[in-house]
C-alpha cells in the first residue's frame, strides 16, 4: 500500500466481510449502503477508477456503474485529481469564504 492508499484504514467497510462487497444483482444495493456516509468514499472510488478494478462495490458504485462512467469520460487521466477537485469546489461553495459554518440548503 503506497502513501495515497492509506485511506483504507478509515473506510466504513474495513470491518465488513469482503464477500459482502463483491456480490451481484440486487444484493449490490446492500453493499452500496455500506458506502453511505463513508469518510473516504471519494478516495475509494478514485482508487477503483484509476486502477480499472472490475469487480465489487467501490466508493458506492458497482462495476457496471464504474464502466459506464469510464466510457462517458474516456479522457480522464486521474480520477483522484478530478474527484478531489470536485470535492474542494463543492466544499468551497457550501462554505462561503470567512464563514466556518456550512451554508443552509435551500
Amino acid at each position: 500500500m503506497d502513501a495515497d492508499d492509506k485511506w483504507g484504514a478509515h473506510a466504513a467497510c474495513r470491518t465488513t466481510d469482503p464477500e459482502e462487497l463483491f456480490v451481484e444483482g440486487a444484493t449490490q444495493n446492500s453493499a452500496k449502503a455500506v458506502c453511505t456516509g463513508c469518510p473516504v468514499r471519494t478516495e475509494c472510488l478514485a482508487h477503483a477508477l484509476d486502477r480499472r478494478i472490475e469487480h465489487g462495490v467501490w466508493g458506492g458504485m458497482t462495476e457496471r456503474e464504474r464502466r459506464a462512467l469510464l466510457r462517458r469520460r474516456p479522457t480522464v487521466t486521474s480520477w483522484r485529481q478530478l474527484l478531489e477537485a470536485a470535492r474542494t469546489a463543492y466544499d468551497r461553495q457550501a462554505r462561503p469564504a470567512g464563514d466556518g459554518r456550512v451554508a443552509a440548503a435551500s
Side-chain angles (χ1 to χ4, degrees):
M1 181 181 301
D2 63 30
D4 289 338
D5 294 336
K6 292 186 189 270
W7 55 265
H10 305 286
C13 64
R14 72 186 172 280
T15 59
T16 302
D17 179 356
E19 296 295 322
E20 293 178 29
L21 301 173
F22 293 87
V23 292
E24 296 180 5
T27 311
Q28 289 179 326
N29 290 328
S30 296
K32 288 169 58 170
V34 173
C35 303
T36 304
C38 179
V40 293
R41 186 174 180 171
T42 300
E43 292 83 349
C44 179
L45 178 57
H47 174 86
L49 291 167
D50 283 337
R51 288 165 178 76
R52 305 299 195 262
I53 296 175
E54 296 183 12
H55 303 287
V57 171
W58 292 81
M61 292 184 84
T62 66
E63 56 267 13
R64 178 178 281 184
E65 293 166 333
R66 291 192 310 276
R67 278 194 306 271
L69 181 57
L70 289 166
R71 278 194 305 273
R72 285 193 309 268
R73 302 287 302 270
T75 60
V76 174
T77 57
S78 172
W79 285 94
R80 184 176 187 110
Q81 287 179 343
L82 178 76
L83 294 174
E84 286 178 354
R87 180 175 49 195
T88 299
Y90 175 81
D91 288 345
R92 198 174 297 130
Q93 181 182 11
R95 202 174 353 193
D99 185 357
R101 296 173 292 150
V102 175
S106 13

